[in-house]
Amino acid sequence: MAYDFDLYVIGAGSGGVRAARFAAGFGAKVAVAESRYLGGTCVNVGCVPKKLLVYGAHFAEDFEQASGFGWSLGEANFDWATLIANKDREINRLNGIYRNLLVNSGVTLHEGHARLVDPHQVEINGERFTAKHILIATGGWPQIPDIPGREHAIGSNEAFFLKELPKRVLVVGGGYIAVEFAGIFHGLGAKTSLLYRGDLFLRGFDGAVRKHLQEELTKRGLDLQFNADIERIEKQVDGSLKATLKDGRVLEADCVFYATGRRPMLDNLGLENTGVELDERGFVQVNDLYETTEASILAIGDVIGRVQLTPVALAEGMAVARRLFKPEQYRPVDYAMIPTAVFSLPNIGTVGLTEEEAKKNGHKVQIFESRFRPMKLTLTDCQEKTLMKLVVDADTDKVLGCHMVGPDAGEIVQGLAIALKAGATKRHFDETIGVHPTAAEEFVTMRTPVAD
């Protein structure tokens, strides 16, 4: 049978665009459908604009610390509207870049909501197209719990487009998105409380990292409330919000921001017209080749619920394009040793196993840990400390995990991730000469393991 396209991609986010571009480069006839914005979550309402806001929030600290280096500054004033307008301009520029990447690589772009008609056919804007392979790359969507008054709360999508900075913010959640936005709102001057229903945020991260960040955020004046959850939200006559907690306490705010998880974006996708099945969590079920339970349909990225990170979606998109259209270049995605960062203030950078995971996996471990006040702060009153930690297999000397809380943690850990991916031992770290004076050199100067 002759098809209109060799590959039809639904979703022009990071993974979908990567798969489409490279498939077209390999000679396939490719189309991409996008109903919202080119670049997906990361470019529009995720990592890119979020990090721009984090940069903005960090200036407050820079101004405070400048006097220690001889700078006399006038009163600093922050304008939310300027930051958002400049952010929007940059995102529009990136949207244009994504459009050019697709068009210049020979991909046909369909702008509208695509829906599966059958295993080989898609309908969009009243037209139908057939494809040998269909790739679902529709990503995820923020989820707000179904509580009374949920319509008064916002998620991460809306946070990037607030008309003004709220004076009082309740951030609800314990994951990296909650921690990052709490830091943004707090750094920009809003009175911010972070509410999490558990004992300590960032479940799944190394215990020392979680505890250290808690201490540093508390030093900065961020109100952390653990074992706290909202039962209902009510809007007051003056427009403010009243949040009643499950323990009976009442908190007032101008904004309630939820970061309590994301769901796969499968709305009106037409999966019922195919044999595609979902897993027990509601994500699209795929095998190791990203094939769904319908032979002609594949899925990658956040919609399959594996590792929900932009670079992972890019790798998955590349793997699909190569396997289908350039099999001699195919390499499976290796999910081990994936580095990641949390752009909290201060930042977290991490790669490999946590101490808890290493022990659970049966490793006899040695822990090397250092906490110190960075050189930049020695001329200031700031008492912030950086944490660096290595998790080492005591029997093989192999470095199993690397964790950091402090300025530029993500930048530093990216380089160390290569070493861990290559199987570096603690001896390799010890024999590497440090770059002095830097914070990063601490990773190659930790000699004495901490007591168990």
Side-chain angles (χ1 to χ4, degrees):
M1 175 181 174
Y3 296 100
D4 296 323
F5 296 99
D6 299 310
L7 177 67
Y8 198 103
V9 181
I10 304 177
S14 301
V17 169
R18 174 63 63 90
R21 285 178 56 216
F22 278 82
F26 295 147
K29 190 175 182 183
V30 183
V32 172
E34 177 53 59
S35 61
R36 290 187 180 84
Y37 25 57
L38 298 177
T41 295
C42 179
V43 168
N44 295 276
V45 287
C47 30
V48 173
K50 172 194 68 185
K51 195 169 184 188
L52 293 175
L53 267 57
V54 169
Y55 282 137
H58 195 272
F59 275 101
E61 295 174 30
D62 292 336
F63 293 145
E64 284 180 17
Q65 296 164 11
S67 61
F69 293 88
W71 288 92
S72 298
L73 302 173
E75 184 180 353
N77 292 300
F78 170 70
D79 183 60
W80 171 265
T82 299
L83 174 59
I84 297 303
N86 290 341
K87 179 269 296 182
D88 289 343
R89 187 176 68 245
E90 173 61 9
I91 300 311
N92 288 334
R93 184 184 74 84
L94 294 175
N95 290 151
I97 289 175
Y98 268 76
R99 182 180 298 276
N100 290 336
L101 285 173
L102 286 171
V103 173
N104 293 341
S105 61
V107 175
T108 300
L109 177 60
H110 292 162
E111 297 188 70
H113 183 83
R115 192 169 183 276
L116 294 161
V117 177
D118 61 43
H120 287 281
Q121 193 170 196
V122 170
E123 183 176 56
I124 181 168
N125 300 330
E127 292 186 85
R128 292 191 175 189
F129 301 94
T130 59
K132 184 176 182 180
H133 305 284
I134 297 173
L135 176 62
I136 299 172
T138 48
W141 202 252
Q143 203 162 230
I144 298 176
D146 190 15
I147 62 169
R150 71 186 297 274
E151 67 274 11
H152 303 309
I154 66 168
S156 54
N157 287 359
E158 297 84 5
F160 291 110
F161 301 99
L162 290 171
K163 296 300 182 186
E164 56 186 34
L165 177 68
K167 291 183 172 62
R168 301 166 299 174
V169 182
L170 300 181
V171 177
V172 185
Y176 71 93
I177 296 174
V179 171
E180 289 171 336
F181 270 97
I184 288 168
F185 286 125
H186 178 68
L188 294 177
K191 183 181 178 184
T192 307
S193 296
L194 175 61
L195 279 62
Y196 177 49
R197 64 185 180 183
D199 294 329
L200 186 61
F201 50 35
L202 297 178
R203 185 166 52 89
F205 283 78
D206 189 272
V209 167
R210 301 168 71 196
K211 188 66 179 172
H212 187 84
L213 186 67
Q214 176 196 8
E215 292 168 0
E216 292 304 322
L217 294 180
T218 301
K219 279 184 197 173
R220 291 173 184 233
L222 182 59
D223 177 34
L224 302 177
Q225 299 196 29
F226 299 123
N227 299 303
D229 202 5
I230 294 178
E231 186 174 81
R232 65 180 184 275
I233 304 169
E234 298 166 280
K235 193 162 190 174
Q236 306 296 90
V237 177
D238 63 1
S240 65
L241 301 175
K242 184 174 80 171
T244 302
L245 275 56
K246 290 181 178 178
D247 61 10
R249 289 184 298 134
V250 174
L251 301 177
E252 293 189 352
D254 303 298
C255 174
V256 178
F257 172 96
Y258 267 88
T260 49
R262 295 172 64 84
R263 64 177 177 86
M265 191 55 183
L266 301 172
D267 299 7
N268 193 28
L269 192 56
L271 292 182
E272 67 277 8
N273 300 323
T274 72
V276 174
E277 295 179 5
L278 307 183
D279 64 20
E280 65 279 358
R281 300 175 301 150
F283 291 93
V284 177
Q285 184 176 312
V286 296
N287 62 18
D288 290 342
L289 299 177
Y290 309 104
E291 297 168 327
T292 70
T293 44
E294 181 70 72
S296 59
I297 299 177
L298 305 99
I300 59 170
D302 290 1
V303 79
I304 66 173
R306 287 188 179 175
V307 181
Q308 297 182 49
L309 297 171
T310 294
V312 174
L314 292 171
E316 292 170 348
M318 177 75 85
V320 165
R322 282 177 168 158
R323 187 181 67 80
L324 293 180
F325 305 109
K326 198 78 166 177
E328 65 272 21
Q329 291 186 10
Y330 171 69
R331 297 190 300 273
V333 177
D334 184 357
Y335 291 93
M337 292 294 177
I338 296 173
T340 189
V342 177
F343 296 105
S344 48
L345 293 170
N347 294 178
I348 296 172
T350 182
V351 62
L353 299 180
T354 67
E355 179 180 348
E356 294 80 9
E357 287 171 337
K359 290 177 177 177
K360 185 178 179 181
N361 291 352
H363 294 279
K364 179 184 176 185
V365 299
Q366 283 188 313
I367 303 300
F368 296 83
E369 200 172 288
S370 178
R371 298 170 194 261
F372 58 93
R373 192 164 170 236
M375 182 179 180
K376 180 184 177 183
L377 302 181
T378 57
L379 301 185
T380 76
D381 294 329
C382 182
Q383 298 302 311
E384 176 186 308
K385 287 191 174 182
T386 288
L387 165 70
M388 291 183 175
K389 178 174 180 176
L390 293 175
V391 181
V392 179
D393 186 302
D395 296 324
T396 65
D397 199 43
K398 188 174 181 179
V399 180
L400 303 173
C402 173
H403 310 278
M404 176 179 173
V405 181
D408 300 316
E411 307 288 348
I412 293 171
V413 167
Q414 174 68 82
L416 294 176
I418 301 171
L420 267 64
K421 193 79 171 176
T425 63
K426 182 61 168 65
R427 181 174 176 178
H428 287 129
F429 275 66
D430 294 342
E431 293 180 350
T432 300
I433 295 173
V435 180
H436 184 74
T438 65
E441 69 178 316
E442 193 75 13
F443 273 118
V444 299
T445 59
M446 291 188 279
R447 296 286 186 265
T448 306
V450 299
D452 190 347

